[in-house]
């Protein structure tokens, strides 16, 4: 079953001025384990744009958690 647009939109967050998805959400869309997705990207960096994946800072993680709480309220 394909995910609904609302489900995908609810998994998109704003970080560094960009619309991003967490690896856990993206992996769920492709029905793979998050670690498998991250490993595939790391092994095939040339297939992905340079800004496809980045590591959140501690402050960004706190901000993201607050966005998630607001969405779930």
């Amino acid at each position: 079953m394909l995910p609904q647009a609302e489900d995908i939109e609810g998994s998109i967050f704003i970080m560094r001025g960009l619309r991003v998805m967490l690896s856990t959400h993206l992996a769920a869309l492709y029905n793979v384990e998050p670690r498998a997705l991250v490993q595939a990207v790391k092994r095939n960096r040339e297939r992905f744009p340079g800004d496809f994946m980045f590591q959140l800072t501690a402050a960004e993680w706190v901000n993201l958690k607050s966005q998630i709480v607001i969405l779930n309220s």
Side-chain angles (χ1 to χ4, degrees):
M1 182 168 134
L2 293 174
Q4 298 297 309
E6 302 84 39
D7 297 332
I8 294 171
E9 289 171 4
S11 298
I12 298 173
F13 303 97
I14 305 297
M15 300 300 304
R16 302 180 190 173
L18 301 170
R19 293 166 39 108
V20 301
M21 291 181 72
L22 297 176
S23 57
T24 52
H25 295 148
L26 191 56
L29 285 176
Y30 288 100
N31 200 29
V32 298
E33 290 290 324
R35 68 177 182 269
L37 174 67
V38 171
Q39 186 178 50
V41 173
K42 287 181 179 179
R43 287 183 176 171
N44 300 285
R45 287 198 186 273
E46 69 281 354
R47 293 180 154 187
F48 297 92
D51 62 353
F52 180 78
M53 188 170 85
F54 59 86
Q55 188 73 37
L56 296 178
T57 65
E60 288 171 331
W61 178 240
V62 169
N63 183 37
L64 181 61
K65 286 196 301 188
S66 71
Q67 287 186 53
I68 293 170
V69 169
I70 291 168
L71 286 173
N72 289 337
S73 297

